[in-house]
Amino acid sequence: MRERAPFGQALLLSGFIMLLLSILVPWWASYSALQQQAQIISSQLTATSSSDSATAALAGLVNTTSDQPLTDPAPAWWFGQLGANQQYSQGETLLFYRLDTKAANQQWVWVTLPLLVANLLIFITLYRRWRQIYNVEHAHLQNMLLDPEANNFRHEHPIANAIVNLHQNYDQQLSIFKRELHAAQQQSFQDSLTLLGNRFAFRRDLALLLNDDNHLASSTLMIVRASSLQSINIEQGFQAGDQYLQDIVKIVRKVIQPEIGAHGYRISGTDIAVLFKGQCEPLAHRLGDRLQQELYHYQHIHELTCAAYIGFTQLLPGQSAEHVLTRADLALAQAQGEEPNSWSMLLKQDEDESMGESQWRQRLQSMLDDNQVLLQVQPAQIYKSEMQGYNEIYTRFPNTSGGTYPASTVFAMLQRLNMSMQFEQKIIEVILTQIKQSPLTGQRWAINLTPASLQQSSFLIWLERILLRERDITSKLVFELDEQVLQHQLEVNKRLLEVIRRAGARYAVSRFGHGYGSFRLLQEIKPDYVKLDGLLVKLLHQDHTTQQFVRMIIDLAQRLGCRVIAEGVETMEQKQLLESMHIDGVQGYLIAKPSDFTHFKALS
């Protein structure tokens, strides 16, 4: 079936042609009849005389004259020359005449009019019928534009097919666009390295759990901190760091796979979060132990000091996301204070732990402004008379109820709120002030530096300036840095060690002895003091290998000019065994407990 618009044009053209033929065909018939009449008259004129009476007797002539040509115009000009003024000559006789066109005109009119009327009626009928069909088809086509399924054409229709194809193409394009949009949405909520959800997806799902209408429902948040990522990036390169992070994610996925409804997310560079449905305590005991075993295995294979730490916390509908994340940070801080790959769980929250970020920020800022920093001192017993006394300073933070905040809680919040450097500066200023006021001479004071502040160049600039300004006190200071912190960020910490040495202070490596890599570190930085890890001291009587290892540390350190002090000495057996190894000093609860700086008296 052809398209409707060209068919309508053809119908109009056909109607026009039929009308034209209705006029021309009768005209041609009348013209032919008039032509025959002219031939008959011409033959009759030849046969008759030229007298007027004879000529006038001829039928079919009008206005005949022989004296002069006819001057009036021919009334039937549409017959051309046949209807015009005629001239006949025979010898010297001239005859001027005009054919009678009345009969031809009547024949033309009477035949043409019925034909015109009939053709007009036929054309009008066909046109109306075509218009009706066209309107119906046009309405169907309009409906098809909105609903391609509404195809009522029995025969193939090009426009209908074009509309169907258009809708099919549109549906295909729409499907492709929806898939691409869905993929883009998935990518926007997915971490490209681990293929876990990113922090935006975590925030979204955490908000859904906390805003659940079922207030009896409970869920659990687990955060796994890949603590070795930064050291691997520095020592082995970023590709190795990416592989390490992907390995930790594989371990996490393996452990949480049996748990229905568990979803994992990468919420920061080192933190992997998992949301579970269910109570925290049974989940933590079940998953924490399994995950710890897997991490121990991974640590042993890849010779790491620690693979990761794990923190668990409970979340209930109606809680704020900040409170949940704060408890998770505190649980991680507790785990990081224990052995490698440890996990910790924080369920109940006291008034301090339930504070949000803004409240913590206000309270910490108030501590800064009002110098609310308490100092405690734990001395070490020194065995060699030429050595000055060694006293380690600890920091405590008072709360509003007359007690103190857990140090791990405060330092975790300081790191979370990016206030570590401010507090580090305040603590050092308070320590310098207390040392100035102390009557004790011939003593050295050990200050622990946190890893968070050491990563900032501005802190090193400030530290060098204040140490150079207080040279008399600086010579009495010993800055303690954790062995693992040094190993993980050796290049950064070398700058700190240069600043300390240049200013006239000393430095010590604390919690020393995590493996044979400790000896390489010892040779590379040559500290003034080496403080044995309390875990080595605890295992000293239980393991002959540990004793040999400690002897090697003491011997090598003293050969390099370092003084060795043992931390965590709590029994007389430990103390006597260390003395037999010719250690330089011991520190722990057996020697002295931490006491307030203002009432501190040096060991005699």
Side-chain angles (χ1 to χ4, degrees):
M1 188 173 185
R2 293 177 299 175
E3 298 181 10
R4 301 299 100 186
F7 178 79
Q9 295 174 0
L11 184 61
L12 290 174
L13 182 61
S14 300
F16 175 75
I17 293 173
M18 292 302 295
L19 291 175
L20 189 61
L21 290 175
S22 299
I23 297 173
L24 292 179
V25 171
W27 173 86
W28 179 255
S30 299
Y31 181 82
S32 299
L34 191 61
Q35 195 173 30
Q36 292 177 0
Q37 179 184 347
Q39 292 175 355
I40 294 172
I41 290 175
S42 178
S43 61
Q44 290 177 349
L45 286 174
T46 304
T48 60
S49 63
S50 59
S51 62
D52 292 339
S53 58
T55 303
L58 292 175
L61 292 179
V62 293
N63 298 338
T64 58
T65 179
S66 59
D67 52 355
Q68 60 182 359
L70 297 175
T71 58
D72 54 330
W77 53 266
W78 45 83
F79 288 120
Q81 186 61 36
L82 291 177
N85 297 325
Q86 305 288 331
Q87 177 180 339
Y88 176 77
S89 63
Q90 186 177 6
E92 295 180 356
T93 302
L94 291 176
L95 178 64
F96 301 97
Y97 64 91
R98 185 184 302 132
L99 293 176
D100 186 2
T101 59
K102 182 177 181 180
N105 286 335
Q106 289 178 349
Q107 179 185 348
W108 183 30
V109 169
W110 289 113
V111 174
T112 297
L113 286 177
L115 287 175
L116 284 175
V117 173
N119 283 327
L120 282 173
L121 291 175
I122 294 172
F123 172 75
I124 292 172
T125 302
L126 292 175
Y127 182 79
R128 290 182 63 185
R129 178 60 179 165
W130 168 81
R131 193 66 188 177
Q132 183 180 7
I133 296 173
Y134 177 79
N135 289 337
V136 172
E137 291 183 355
H138 185 70
H140 284 317
L141 293 175
Q142 284 184 327
N143 291 334
M144 284 186 65
L145 287 173
L146 302 176
D147 183 10
E149 301 298 327
N151 189 352
N152 297 325
F153 296 107
R154 296 181 181 178
H155 304 288
E156 187 175 345
H157 193 285
I159 298 180
N161 292 337
I163 292 175
V164 172
N165 293 334
L166 177 65
H167 276 281
Q168 290 176 348
N169 292 334
Y170 171 77
D171 290 340
Q172 292 176 357
Q173 294 288 341
L174 185 61
S175 299
I176 294 173
F177 176 75
K178 287 181 177 178
R179 288 197 298 269
E180 291 177 349
L181 180 61
H182 179 71
Q185 288 176 338
Q186 291 296 107
Q187 290 178 357
S188 67
F189 287 103
Q190 187 180 64
D191 178 66
S192 59
L193 177 63
T194 62
L195 301 182
L196 298 174
N198 58 18
R199 57 190 180 94
F200 302 108
F202 172 72
R203 283 285 185 171
R204 176 198 62 194
D205 295 346
L206 180 61
L208 289 175
L209 290 175
L210 295 177
N211 295 326
D212 194 341
D213 293 334
N214 183 6
H215 292 282
L216 296 178
S218 62
S219 303
T220 298
L221 170 63
M222 177 182 77
I223 296 183
V224 179
R225 180 160 293 167
S227 55
S228 297
L229 178 61
Q230 189 169 8
S231 62
I232 292 176
N233 284 337
I234 294 173
E235 296 172 6
Q236 304 178 34
F238 289 103
Q239 289 185 351
D242 290 345
Q243 185 61 51
Y244 157 72
L245 191 60
Q246 290 173 338
D247 292 341
I248 297 298
V249 170
K250 287 180 183 178
I251 293 173
V252 173
R253 279 181 166 151
K254 176 182 176 182
V255 172
I256 69 173
Q257 186 176 8
E259 304 298 328
I260 299 175
H263 296 284
Y265 315 85
R266 185 187 181 192
I267 58 176
S268 70
T270 59
D271 290 356
I272 306 299
V274 182
L275 291 172
F276 304 90
K277 289 291 186 69
Q279 293 292 328
C280 178
E281 189 167 1
L283 274 169
H285 285 286
R286 182 170 68 252
L287 299 179
D289 292 340
R290 289 178 54 195
L291 192 54
Q292 189 176 26
Q293 292 176 3
E294 294 286 344
L295 293 174
Y296 270 132
H297 180 65
Y298 184 83
Q299 174 190 352
H300 176 71
I301 292 176
H302 293 84
E303 298 181 352
L304 299 174
T305 57
C306 176
Y309 292 99
I310 312 109
F312 292 89
T313 190
Q314 184 82 50
L315 56 148
L316 294 169
Q319 295 177 328
S320 71
E322 298 305 325
H323 289 170
V324 173
L325 292 174
T326 299
R327 289 202 311 276
D329 279 343
L330 296 177
L332 277 170
Q334 293 175 3
Q336 288 174 305
E338 300 175 5
E339 62 184 14
N341 309 311
S342 293
W343 65 271
S344 180
M345 173 178 56
L346 188 59
L347 298 177
K348 298 176 65 176
Q349 55 183 29
D350 56 27
E351 179 184 357
D352 300 327
E353 293 168 346
S354 65
M355 292 190 302
E357 281 192 4
S358 60
Q359 293 173 300
W360 265 111
R361 189 181 295 277
Q362 292 176 1
R363 200 164 285 188
L364 292 173
Q365 190 62 48
S366 176
M367 292 182 191
L368 282 175
D369 297 338
D370 300 335
N371 292 332
Q372 296 179 15
V373 177
L374 303 178
L375 301 181
Q376 290 185 334
V377 183
Q378 186 179 35
Q381 183 176 346
I382 304 301
Y383 294 119
K384 297 185 178 180
S385 58
E386 70 274 12
M387 282 180 60
Q388 291 182 314
Y390 190 99
N391 309 291
E392 185 173 356
I393 300 176
Y394 299 97
T395 308
R396 297 292 181 264
F397 306 94
N399 59 23
T400 56
S401 59
T404 58
Y405 295 113
S408 60
T409 300
V410 175
F411 285 114
M413 290 309 303
L414 287 174
Q415 187 170 358
R416 181 175 177 81
L417 297 174
N418 197 24
M419 298 177 66
S420 297
M421 191 181 79
Q422 294 172 301
F423 259 75
E424 197 81 70
Q425 292 172 341
K426 176 60 68 174
I427 290 169
I428 292 174
E429 289 174 351
V430 172
I431 289 175
L432 294 179
T433 302
Q434 294 277 15
I435 293 175
K436 278 183 182 181
Q437 299 172 356
S438 174
L440 298 176
T441 58
Q443 298 290 318
R444 286 194 173 137
W445 309 92
I447 303 173
N448 289 281
L449 295 176
T450 60
S453 60
L454 301 182
Q455 299 176 7
Q456 305 185 46
S457 299
S458 56
F459 174 76
L460 299 183
I461 296 172
W462 174 88
L463 180 63
E464 183 174 19
R465 186 172 63 249
I466 195 170
L467 291 180
L468 292 174
R469 189 180 63 199
E470 304 286 350
R471 283 190 177 274
D472 293 340
I473 301 175
T474 300
S475 60
K476 302 177 182 179
L477 299 180
V478 180
F479 290 94
E480 290 190 4
L481 292 97
D482 189 280
E483 179 193 341
Q484 295 188 51
V485 175
L486 281 169
Q487 286 185 339
H488 293 169
Q489 303 173 351
L490 185 57
E491 295 303 320
V492 175
N493 288 321
K494 277 183 176 181
R495 294 174 53 199
L496 171 66
L497 300 181
E498 291 173 2
V499 168
I500 293 173
R501 185 73 74 191
R502 190 164 53 243
R506 291 166 176 78
Y507 53 87
V509 180
S510 61
R511 298 180 64 185
F512 187 84
H514 287 275
Y516 288 99
S518 303
F519 295 107
R520 184 174 62 252
L521 178 67
L522 192 63
Q523 290 179 322
E524 188 163 358
I525 66 173
K526 295 182 177 62
D528 298 284
Y529 294 90
V530 171
K531 300 192 71 178
L532 291 178
D533 191 353
L535 183 60
L536 289 176
V537 176
K538 183 178 180 180
L539 299 175
L540 207 56
H541 270 82
Q542 305 173 13
D543 187 1
H544 181 71
T545 303
T546 302
Q547 296 179 18
Q548 294 298 323
F549 183 62
V550 170
R551 290 182 190 275
M552 290 173 60
I553 293 175
I554 296 173
D555 182 62
L556 178 60
Q558 291 177 345
R559 288 177 182 273
L560 293 173
C562 306
R563 304 298 186 181
V564 184
I565 298 174
E567 297 181 275
V569 178
E570 297 181 353
T571 65
M572 185 59 68
E573 291 79 6
Q574 294 170 348
K575 180 175 180 290
Q576 292 173 349
L577 185 54
L578 289 166
E579 288 173 349
S580 68
M581 297 177 182
H582 305 287
I583 199 163
D584 296 303
V586 291
Q587 179 185 1
Y589 274 38
L590 179 66
I591 309 304
K593 295 182 178 181
S595 60
D596 187 72
F597 193 104
T598 56
H599 303 99
F600 172 71
K601 294 181 179 180
L603 294 177
S604 57

